[in-house]
Amino acid sequence: MVQKIRENIRVAVIFGPGNRVEPVWFDWRRRKHTVREITYSWRERRGEETIFHFAVSDGAGLFELAYNAESQLWALMAVEGG
């Protein structure tokens, strides 16, 4: 079952050429989750803001991370398992 979270979190990320963004790990509830796989990613526009979404797995759960390019904040949007 998917649980909506919507909490700001700390994320280690690699920024590559173009608009490439790759989350490496994130902290949630005092636990470090290493991103083992990015299963899907997409981009959304909210007015002037661009939000990058990532469905990632740490091997135990599936998480939706979102990066707001305007505010430069990361949020954990949803969790399944984990």
Side-chain angles (χ1 to χ4, degrees):
M1 184 166 120
V2 176
Q3 177 184 5
K4 300 260 187 218
I5 304 293
R6 295 183 185 241
E7 290 179 19
N8 286 339
I9 57 171
R10 185 172 69 135
V11 179
V13 64
I14 297 171
F15 289 95
N19 285 334
R20 196 173 76 91
V21 180
E22 182 181 334
V24 178
W25 58 260
F26 62 95
D27 284 333
W28 180 51
R29 296 187 177 167
R30 299 176 192 232
R31 184 170 166 224
K32 181 179 175 181
H33 296 266
T34 300
V35 174
R36 304 258 183 244
E37 181 181 10
I38 299 172
T39 59
Y40 188 68
S41 63
W42 67 101
R43 191 182 319 193
E44 128 183 61
R45 298 280 302 175
R46 290 187 201 154
E48 295 297 313
E49 298 179 327
T50 301
I51 314 295
F52 295 89
H53 293 268
F54 302 89
V56 301
S57 174
D58 67 353
L62 187 62
F63 305 85
E64 181 189 341
L65 307 179
Y67 174 66
N68 183 318
E70 186 70 26
S71 68
Q72 298 184 357
L73 292 175
W74 282 89
L76 176 62
M77 304 302 287
V79 175
E80 184 172 351

